[in-house]
Amino acid sequence: MTEPLDPIRMKRAMHARLTRRTFMKGTGAGIAGISLASILAACGSDKGPGAAQPTDIFSGEPGNLVNFANWPLYMDEGEGSDGKVTHPSLDAFTKKTDIDVDYKEGINENAEFFGKLQPQFEAGDPTGYDIIVITNGRQLTALIQSGWVYELDPALRPNFEANAADFARSPEFDPDNKHTMAWQSGITGIGVNLDRVNGPITSLDDLANPAKVGTDTVGMLREDMPNAVMIHLGIDPKTSGPDEWNEAAAWLQHQKDAGTVRKYYTQGYIDDFKVGNLAASMAWSGDIEYYRVWEDKPFEFVFPETGALLWVDNQMIPVGAANPVGAIELMDWYYQPEIADMVTEYVLYMTPVKGVQDLMLKNADAYRDDGDEDSAKRTEESAHSDFLFPSEEFLAKTSFGRNLTTDDEVEEWDAIFDPISQT
Amino acid sequence: MGNRRARIPYFLAAPGIIWLGLFFLVPLALMLVESLKTGGLFSGGYHFNWEFSNYGDAITKNSEFIFRSIRISAYVTVACLLFGYPLAYWIAFHGGRWKSQLLLLVLLPFFVSYIIRTIQWTFILSDQGIILGPLKSLGLVSEGFHVLATEFAVVAGIFYSFLPFAMLPLYVSLERIDKRLVEAATDLYASRLQAFLKVVLPLSLPGVFAAVVLTFVPATGDYVNAELLGNPGTFLVGNKIQDLFLNKNNYPEAAALSLVLMVVMVVIASIYARALGTEEATNMAAAG
């Protein structure tokens, strides 16, 4: 059984995680990633994608170090004796394998991180990372199509093969998990501030109804809303085309004309949500659940009755990785239920590993035995959450978004949806 | 000896010229190269191809943002002049021995990061924050009233950020005016208003020109205030450039749009300089 986390430390750490997916990217930091060196690298080379994948990339022994890039606050945290932040699950990996992990929380946006790595890929140079975590979408598809991430060796991921949840196996964007292993997953639904709405919110139509949410009180997620609206309209995004995209755009324009939308966010909606600027918003499940469960805010995460958007943050090994064998060993490490539980209890997103729910319930019992009824109750509540451990019936009402696979599709998609959020 | 003396100004200017070359001209050239590339996310990246159509695309797709940015920058510049000029005048003519301290007060916000200053406005102007919260509790404004996510908030945010940029050159030009000229005007039966309009204002025009340029040009490219304080209707050309670079990975169109914006700014500044006749005013001030 996993050691229950210190609840005080966990709460303090979770308070810090409040901006995991809403971490304010450095908007004043200039053009992040487009440095002079990177532009020079891009200019100086007309090469295509990086070096061809070596046939024996996963042969041999793992190296001593894995460089792991992830999103902020997306890993379990503890506190060392020197007061510094530690990651117990990574420390356990190092203790077991003697492989050190240089863990960096350097990913704030998929496109921004992709932009940082692209010049290296184009020049055929290593990126300096062995593992990166990218959400399913155009950047992930571009990485795979361009041959900029390695194909994984299934023989080296026995835990994944044994314990991966069904939704994490062979997703549409990466059949047979040739290049990816899910890190965490989540749902884009509706966050509701119960103190500010007039009546129950059950679908996206309520976000276009001033009688329910008022005017200038709704936040929308710019990147997620096209797919979420298509799902709401009964369209399967995965098979959609320009006609369906225009239908979704028409709905979004109707919502905008209704006067309910305050802002379209890429990140940062939770900051406005917390201070009461929004009555409701398209939201990511983990963000709202944290505030509801651990901060007792009057928030509710609503799974829209017409269905919701499912997304996955995926581990991948970029071409040129110095230690691909160590990387896949680390990726597979997190497909052991007791290790996955350490992460899930911290980040409160949907784990791609079976068996974690039972472990969380056991940990809740352990809190109770220790006399910490508050932590026991909250852990139990999280363990029973459909958004962390969805039932099959629940998952059946979710869908991945449209996987754009050509530049023409990207151009048409942006031409249809950008004007909604930019004019 | 004469030749060596003639070369001295060039040696003195050399560090500045090298700096300008390395950190302005070279990046500009690289931006130009980037703007002429084609390709895409799924084409293995972008490759140089003399693609001048990127400029046509940048203009036709984004003209709305350019005009909107110019309009908002104009509001900000006028506001900066309306507030900055009296402030600079008062410090220059009536600041006395407190001039340095008063200038420091104007500059104090710059000790805080630009981003932090703007983020602070999101807390101050929050719907239930320290200003609107009490007003709503007292019933002085309606519950649905908000300042954030409006054009006013964006203009106010940019104005707050750029007021010192406007005020300082105004102060410098006003400070240089010989006060005896004002006295002479009043001795010749001019009223205080006439003295200001006929003597002070014309001599301060170089400062006005600098204030306008130092405010209008960077304000047009600003994206932080629109991102944090605005709404869809305040999406500016700076936001579009940021979106193209950081969200769409569309570097050629972003580079082309950046260069188009630069050219537009140069044209506007040139027309403005001609209209204001600042060269003549500068020469007069120098001769005086």
Side-chain angles (χ1 to χ4, degrees), chain B residues 251-268:
Chain B
Y251 313 125
E253 188 176 332
L257 184 56
S258 302
L259 290 168
V260 164
L261 180 65
M262 200 175 82
V263 167
V264 167
M265 289 295 102
V266 167
V267 167
I268 291 176

Side-chain angles (χ1 to χ4, degrees), chain A residues 38-49 119-125, chain B residues 37 44 46-48:
Chain A
S38 63
I39 292 177
L40 277 170
C43 277
S45 168
D46 242 5
K47 294 177 203 167
Q120 277 85 6
F121 286 133
E122 289 180 351
D125 293 334
Chain B
K37 289 185 176 180
Y46 296 97
H47 311 280
F48 188 76

Side-chain angles (χ1 to χ4, degrees), chain A residues 24-32 34 36 39-40 42-43 45-49 109 111-112 114-116 118 122 138-139 141-142 145-146 148 196 215-216 222-223 256 261-264 266 272 275-277 404-407 410-411 414 418 420-423, chain B residues 22-23 26-27 30-31 33-34 37 39-48 57 61 64-65 68 114-115 119 122-123 125-129 136 143-144 146-149 223-224 226-233 235 240-243 245-249 251:
Chain A
M24 179 62 72
K25 60 186 177 198
T27 48
I31 311 297
I34 312 299
L36 177 61
I39 292 177
L40 277 170
C43 277
S45 168
D46 242 5
K47 294 177 203 167
E109 282 279 359
E112 179 191 312
F114 180 91
K116 277 186 194 171
Q118 188 175 12
E122 289 180 351
R138 60 178 79 175
Q139 283 79 27
T141 303
Q145 275 193 5
S146 304
W148 288 342
R196 290 209 59 194
T215 54
D216 288 336
R222 200 183 291 166
E223 301 300 321
K256 201 169 160 188
V261 178
R262 180 183 176 111
K263 207 165 167 177
Y264 296 92
T266 48
D272 275 341
V275 298
N277 291 344
L404 301 173
T405 56
T406 68
D407 292 322
V410 167
E411 197 173 333
D414 289 344
D418 278 354
I420 304 288
S421 59
Q422 296 176 2
T423 56
Chain B
L22 269 180
F23 296 107
V26 168
L30 291 172
M31 191 91 88
V33 168
E34 192 69 34
K37 289 185 176 180
L41 203 58
F42 298 103
S43 307
Y46 296 97
H47 311 280
F48 188 76
D57 287 344
K61 285 184 195 173
E64 179 180 358
F65 305 121
R68 183 186 294 160
Y114 178 65
I115 297 292
I119 289 173
T122 67
F123 291 110
L125 297 176
S126 174
D127 291 11
Q128 305 294 332
K136 287 181 180 179
E143 195 56 39
H146 62 96
V147 176
L148 288 179
Y223 62 94
V224 174
E227 174 79 23
L228 295 176
L229 307 177
N231 61 26
F235 202 80
K240 188 64 184 176
I241 293 171
Q242 182 206 23
D243 183 58
F245 260 122
L246 294 182
N247 295 331
K248 304 286 193 296
N249 302 117
Y251 313 125

Side-chain angles (χ1 to χ4, degrees), chain B residues 100-165:
Chain B
S100 301
Q101 288 85 342
L102 291 168
L103 282 174
L104 180 63
L105 284 177
V106 172
L107 289 173
L108 259 182
F110 278 92
F111 286 92
V112 178
S113 147
Y114 178 65
I115 297 292
I116 301 294
R117 276 185 280 136
T118 309
I119 289 173
Q120 285 303 315
W121 281 114
T122 67
F123 291 110
I124 294 168
L125 297 176
S126 174
D127 291 11
Q128 305 294 332
I130 56 171
I131 295 178
L132 292 183
L135 290 176
K136 287 181 180 179
S137 300
L138 292 170
L140 293 174
V141 295
S142 66
E143 195 56 39
F145 178 79
H146 62 96
V147 176
L148 288 179
T150 63
E151 187 171 290
F152 173 79
V154 175
V155 173
I158 302 175
F159 159 76
Y160 167 75
S161 297
F162 287 101
L163 179 61
F165 288 102

